[in-house]
Amino acid sequence: MKTLSLVILVLITNSLTAQYEYEPSEDYPFGRLNPEAPKQTADFEPLIGLCKCKSVARVDQNNWADTVMMDWTFKYIMNGLAVQDETLKEDGAHSGSIRQYNADSASWYVHYYSSSVATPTLSSWEGDKNENGDIILYREQKAPNGMDGFYRLTFSNISNNGFNWIGEWVNTTETFSYPTWKIYCTRQE
């Protein structure tokens, strides 16, 4: 009877483990891409893991703040069907995002959260990977003077060695941009 109970327990445990085989684990600390996910979910594959980054934000029109060091970790979540990232900054302002690809709209949907402000509704961006391999995301946002435009996020120079990121306000025709935040990352693991 004891042996039968042990066999049943092992079978149940193996069954449950197989159900979530793409989640982060001891063997795969950042999870794995689920083959059932939309193929675009692999857009973030080169970013999966830990990067050491330098972050610099604009203070005003003419000045940038001091560089803040940060860790930026990307991992697969929801059994490899989505991507989550988390930043841990040395200044204590941490943040993260949940990233899901919607095949019906052919767009990434990215929902952002931060330790500095808890909001009832998360900010969200929408976008895709372009022909140059950059991932570009947009959120409608007016300029301080009331002009229509977008806050654009761009992941560029993406490789297995790291990536660059920029947040900037752009007008609706994208002929003018005003950078407000830049991050430069080098892969660690």
Side-chain angles (χ1 to χ4, degrees), residues 4 10 13 21-22 28-29 41 53 58-59 66 69 72 79 83 98 101 104-105 108-109 117 134 147 151 155 179 182:
L4 180 59
V10 167
T13 303
E21 64 185 299
Y22 302 104
Y28 300 98
T41 309
C53 305
R58 189 177 290 277
V59 175
D66 292 336
M69 300 305 295
W72 199 346
N79 200 33
V83 175
I98 304 292
Y101 192 83
D104 291 340
S105 65
W108 278 100
Y109 295 146
V117 176
D134 297 340
M147 182 187 298
Y151 195 71
F155 289 87
K182 298 178 182 182

Side-chain angles (χ1 to χ4, degrees), residues 20-174:
Y20 306 112
E21 64 185 299
Y22 302 104
E23 279 294 295
S25 65
E26 188 174 318
D27 291 336
Y28 300 98
F30 306 108
R32 294 183 294 152
L33 177 62
N34 189 321
E36 300 296 318
K39 67 178 177 136
Q40 293 84 354
T41 309
D43 289 352
F44 284 94
E45 181 71 26
L47 283 68
I48 299 296
L50 171 65
C51 283
K52 294 287 186 185
C53 305
K54 297 177 181 178
S55 170
V56 61
R58 189 177 290 277
V59 175
D60 57 38
Q61 269 189 312
N62 301 313
N63 298 298
W64 291 83
D66 292 336
T67 299
V68 175
M69 300 305 295
M70 66 182 231
D71 291 344
W72 199 346
T73 304
F74 284 79
K75 65 181 178 179
Y76 287 110
I77 61 167
M78 297 178 6
N79 200 33
L81 298 172
V83 175
Q84 180 178 16
D85 70 270
E86 176 184 48
T87 65
L88 296 173
K89 300 178 189 84
E90 69 179 8
D91 67 0
H94 314 305
S95 60
S97 297
I98 304 292
R99 303 165 184 279
Q100 292 179 279
Y101 192 83
N102 183 317
D104 291 340
S105 65
S107 291
W108 278 100
Y109 295 146
V110 179
H111 302 279
Y112 174 80
Y113 50 92
S114 170
S115 64
S116 60
V117 176
T119 61
T121 305
L122 298 178
S123 299
S124 62
W125 281 259
E126 183 177 342
D128 204 2
K129 188 175 186 179
N130 70 13
E131 64 281 349
N132 297 328
D134 297 340
I135 300 171
I136 304 175
L137 308 162
Y138 297 89
R139 182 183 75 186
E140 285 187 27
Q141 181 175 316
K142 289 192 180 287
N145 67 3
M147 182 187 298
D148 288 334
F150 301 95
Y151 195 71
R152 180 176 69 192
L153 308 177
T154 304
F155 289 87
S156 64
N157 298 320
I158 300 169
S159 74
N160 290 326
N161 297 321
F163 61 92
N164 295 335
W165 180 96
I166 187 168
E168 57 195 328
W169 185 87
V170 296
N171 62 0
T172 56
T173 58
E174 298 186 67

